[in-house]
Amino acid sequence: MAQISPNKVVTITYDLSVTDENQEKVLVESAEEDAPMVFLFGQSGLPEEFERQLDGKQAGDTFNFSLTPEQAYGDYDQQAVVDIPKNVFEIDGKIDDEMVQVGNFLPMADNQGHHMQGKIVDIGADTIKMDFNHPLAGMVMHFDGKVAEVREATREELDHGHVHGEGGHQH
């Protein structure tokens, strides 16, 4: 039976909870059997400690572990919340009110062309306040799940650095 190791395609199901301000666990995400998480181990872009916790497991194994902000997406950075002039969001002189709404995530690029996701947190008269922190920044994350499948990655998956086919990237 294949064990999780670099360049294996891993399929897992899990519940992700975070610790709220009252130190209680709150479920924020589930990956169920009908829509599992599938990733290329060692090239997933997931936190290093997340992969370390799964290393060596095989299909049928369960897991239960927590990640601190330092092990995951870092502390919440107040400097990652910025005001952006409204005209940046204009297309042909108009703002798309469907797209530019509080709570929406928008793809953005900084002055160096780095791509990132920002969440709209406030719309002012002249500016739009966006939060570029990872949605799970500053949170302790608790994973409780099961390894559903471990298989060898195909040459194409290794060349592309991601999973193809069911649960993966479609070209």
Side-chain angles (χ1 to χ4, degrees), residues 18 23 36 44-45 70 72 77 85 114 130 137 143 168:
V18 297
Q23 301 308 306
S44 67
E70 296 76 29
D77 180 4
H114 299 112
M130 294 196 69
F143 292 90

Side-chain angles (χ1 to χ4, degrees), residues 104-164:
N104 281 0
F105 285 86
L106 300 179
M108 302 287 286
D110 65 14
N111 295 344
Q112 289 83 40
H114 299 112
H115 293 274
M116 58 192 129
Q117 287 279 90
K119 180 181 177 183
I120 298 175
V121 292
D122 187 48
I123 301 174
D126 301 317
T127 61
I128 294 177
K129 187 179 294 290
M130 294 196 69
D131 184 346
F132 290 99
N133 282 289
H134 187 282
L136 295 169
M139 297 184 187
V140 175
M141 302 184 325
H142 310 279
F143 292 90
D144 186 14
K146 184 175 182 177
V147 178
E149 181 184 5
V150 180
R151 67 168 173 82
E152 293 292 332
T154 65
R155 169 62 36 215
E156 184 180 35
E157 289 170 327
L158 293 172
D159 289 346
H160 290 198
H162 56 247
V163 178
H164 290 174

Side-chain angles (χ1 to χ4, degrees), residues 59-110:
D61 288 351
T62 59
F63 55 87
N64 184 304
F65 60 87
S66 297
L67 300 181
T68 65
E70 296 76 29
Q71 294 169 318
Y73 297 105
D75 290 323
Y76 188 85
D77 180 4
Q78 199 58 48
Q79 293 186 347
V81 181
V82 296
D83 287 320
I84 300 174
K86 261 190 172 171
N87 65 352
V88 168
F89 299 89
E90 290 179 0
I91 300 170
D92 297 328
K94 294 184 178 151
I95 291 180
D96 181 344
D97 292 330
E98 290 289 310
M99 185 176 69
V100 180
Q101 292 186 25
V102 171
N104 281 0
F105 285 86
L106 300 179
M108 302 287 286
D110 65 14

Side-chain angles (χ1 to χ4, degrees), residues 12-17 26-37 142-145:
I12 61 173
T13 58
Y14 66 87
D15 286 334
L16 167 60
S17 300
V26 177
L27 182 68
V28 294
E29 182 179 282
S30 289
E32 305 290 338
E33 285 183 29
D34 61 342
M37 178 182 190
H142 310 279
F143 292 90
D144 186 14

